[in-house]
Amino acid sequence: MGQTPDINKSSSVSIRYAREEDYKDILSIGEDLVKVLLPEEEFNIQKIRLLFDKALENKDYTCIVLVDKDRIKGFVLGTLAEHLFHIKPICMCTAIYVFPEYRRYGLEMIRSFEAWARYKNAEMVFISTFSGISPESMGKVLGK
C-alpha cells in the first residue's frame, strides 16, 4: 500500500496505511459496527479479512488507519475501479469509521483517502453511507 507520513507528529495520533498487525483491531471495530448499525445482519469475518488482505496486497485497494498509542481508532477502506461510462479510474470508499472521541481527525482521514485517489489518477471519489444514516450523522463521523 505504500507509506504515508504521519499527519500529526505533535501527539501520539497518526494516520497511515494499514499493516498486517492492524487486522485484529479493524476486525473488532467492524464487528461492533455491524452490531450497532445492522443488528439484524450477521457479521462476516471472512469478508472483512478478504477486503483487508486485498488492501495489503493489491495496488487497487487501500486501508488507511488512525492510530493512537499503537491502537487503531478509525479506518478507511477503499478501492479503485473503472468508471462505468469511460476508462478513467474512480475511487470508492467501501467503509469508514472513526471512534467518537477521535472524530476530529475524520476529515483528515478522508483527505488521506483523497490523496491516495489522486495518486491513482482517479477522476472521482465516492463515499457512501449505510441506508438510514443521515448527512448529519455522517458529519458527526467526520468531526463536524
Side-chain angles (χ1 to χ4, degrees):
M1 281 184 287
Q3 299 295 319
T4 188
D6 290 347
I7 288 181
N8 189 341
K9 292 184 180 184
S10 63
S11 74
S12 60
V13 176
S14 63
I15 296 172
R16 61 167 170 75
Y17 288 107
R19 302 176 187 142
E20 174 63 34
E21 61 267 20
D22 299 330
Y23 167 68
K24 287 183 180 176
D25 285 345
I26 292 171
L27 177 65
S28 176
I29 294 167
E31 189 169 17
D32 289 346
L33 275 173
V34 169
K35 286 178 185 174
V36 171
L37 296 174
L38 304 165
E40 63 283 345
E41 298 293 328
E42 184 178 333
F43 181 67
N44 188 325
I45 292 171
Q46 291 80 18
K47 191 168 189 173
I48 196 162
R49 181 66 212 208
L50 180 63
L51 282 171
F52 185 77
D53 286 346
K54 284 182 178 181
L56 289 175
E57 300 168 5
N58 186 318
K59 64 182 174 55
D60 292 340
Y61 286 77
T62 194
C63 183
I64 297 167
V65 293
L66 176 70
V67 182
D68 187 13
K69 298 181 184 108
D70 296 323
R71 296 291 302 195
I72 304 300
K73 301 299 182 178
F75 66 88
V76 177
L77 276 168
T79 185
L80 184 73
E82 280 190 7
H83 192 281
L84 271 170
F85 304 113
H86 54 74
I87 63 169
K88 294 180 182 176
I90 60 172
C91 281
M92 296 175 289
C93 176
T94 56
I96 181 172
Y97 184 73
V98 182
F99 286 173
E101 61 272 22
Y102 290 88
R103 290 192 175 155
R104 66 185 176 275
Y105 299 102
L107 189 55
E108 291 177 73
M109 293 186 69
I110 294 296
R111 287 187 177 141
S112 295
F113 181 68
E114 289 174 333
W116 178 78
R118 280 192 303 279
Y119 172 76
K120 294 300 202 170
N121 297 312
E123 183 176 83
M124 294 181 228
V125 174
F126 292 94
I127 299 173
S128 61
T129 63
F130 285 105
S131 175
I133 296 179
S134 68
E136 293 80 14
S137 296
M138 187 63 182
K140 289 177 186 175
V141 169
L142 299 177
K144 291 187 170 193

